[in-house]
Structure formats: C-alpha cells, structure tokens
Amino acid sequence: MKAGQPLRAQVAEVARHLHARGWVANHDGNVTARDGARYIATPTATSKRLIEHRDLIEIDAKGQVVGKGRVFGEIGLHLAVYERRPDVHCVVHAHPPNATAISAGRGNPIEQPFIAEALVSLGPRIPKLPYAQPGEPARAALAPWCELVDAVILGNHGVLAWGADPEQALLRLELVEHLARIA
C-alpha cells in the first residue's frame, strides 16, 4: 500500500489483494475501515476482484447503510471489534485456504504462534472460536476476544483480523495464513 493513499483507496486495494492471493472466492470476504463516526465497507454480493474506491459503501455505527448499497452479513463482527477497540481502524475477513481448513477441522495447531515474528505481530494466542450462526450469536462469540487478541479463526468461517490501519490488518491476516500453511 502506498503511504498517504486515501483511506477508500486503501480499503479497495486490500479487497483486491484478498482476491489476488486466493483468500476469497465468489463474493466471500469483507473489509471495513473506521472513518470518523462512519465506516467504509466493501459491499455485499460483489467480487473483491472488482472493488474500486467508488464501489465502497458507508455505514453508521449501527451497521446501517448511509446512502446506497447493501452491507454484508458479517458487519456485526466488524462492529464488535470497533466498539471494544478504539485503536482499531480496519477489520478484514477472508477465507485463506490453510487457516480456513483449521477453522473447519478439529483443534487449532496455531493457537500459540510458534515463530518469533508471529508472536510479536499477533501476540501469544490466535484463538479458534466455536462456530456461531451469523448475527448476534457470532458477535457474542467474538466479543470476549476483541481486547485480548488481534486475529481470530472463526469456526467454519475463515479468519477475522484487525489493526490500526488497512495495511496492519491485512498483514495480520497474512501472518495467520502463513502460520496455518507451516502447520
């Protein structure tokens, strides 16, 4: 990501990166960024391959679209992080293949990061949350972890990572997938 790039351009670039890496398919995945009292988000039912800055939607703190467009179903997960972490300005959700295999299998071989760089970037734990139905059940499963970690594996649902900006959130998701590939 280029330094000084407008926030909308950064969000769109992260979305396209998710597709280019093979971490999303079809309409999978989503990216949000805090922009003052509102959030910029990728719209639902759109391939991340096609996202440009003009395609992004704006939502309020309750997850309602401001203007036109449709918000994705996982918005509650993103908002749960923002509500509990004022230092977070971007949340990314994707289905990178190796980490998603962990999300759908038994156990979590990367719960405790096993390389120094991961420990520094992600902390001492990458929890795997139990599967929860989209909406309030998924939000309730995530909420206790928001202040403790910077990335989680969502049971049967890929990875959610967050950071101070789009680059940091993307790098954290990338590191979760890297650990999963090694494991």
Side-chain angles (χ1 to χ4, degrees), residues 8-182:
R8 291 175 81 79
Q10 292 177 53
V11 170
E13 186 176 337
V14 166
R16 291 189 307 271
H17 185 84
L18 295 176
H19 185 274
R21 293 293 301 262
W23 296 345
V24 295
N26 193 1
H27 300 150
D28 293 355
N30 33 68
V31 183
T32 59
R34 190 189 313 250
D35 189 17
R38 291 189 177 167
Y39 303 90
I40 297 167
T42 52
T44 193
T46 305
S47 170
K48 302 312 163 281
R49 173 180 58 86
L50 303 173
I51 296 291
E52 296 292 337
H53 72 279
R54 66 184 170 278
D55 301 314
L56 300 174
I57 61 173
E58 287 188 29
I59 58 171
D60 65 20
K62 294 182 180 178
Q64 300 301 308
V65 174
V66 176
K68 63 179 189 166
R70 288 182 27 228
V71 71
F72 50 84
E74 292 93 350
I75 191 60
L77 295 174
H78 291 242
L79 294 175
V81 174
Y82 291 123
E83 288 166 8
R84 288 161 179 80
R85 293 285 299 272
D87 61 314
V88 167
H89 292 277
C90 184
V91 178
V92 179
H93 167 59
H95 304 143
N98 297 288
T100 301
I102 291 171
S103 85
R106 297 187 196 274
N108 179 6
I110 66 169
E111 182 166 2
Q112 295 178 318
F114 45 81
I115 59 175
E117 293 82 358
L119 189 60
V120 169
S121 295
L122 294 170
R125 192 158 183 215
I126 306 165
K128 177 180 169 184
L129 308 184
Y131 173 75
Q133 289 288 328
E136 195 51 42
R139 188 178 164 118
L142 173 64
W145 293 101
C146 294
E147 289 126 337
L148 302 175
V149 299
D150 294 313
V152 297
I153 296 173
L154 301 167
N156 297 88
H157 198 177
V159 177
L160 192 74
W162 47 90
D165 55 44
E167 177 73 4
Q168 186 178 52
L170 177 64
L171 288 174
R172 286 175 171 165
L173 188 137
E174 180 179 67
L175 192 48
V176 170
E177 176 62 1
H178 183 65
L179 290 170
R181 190 170 356 122
I182 293 168

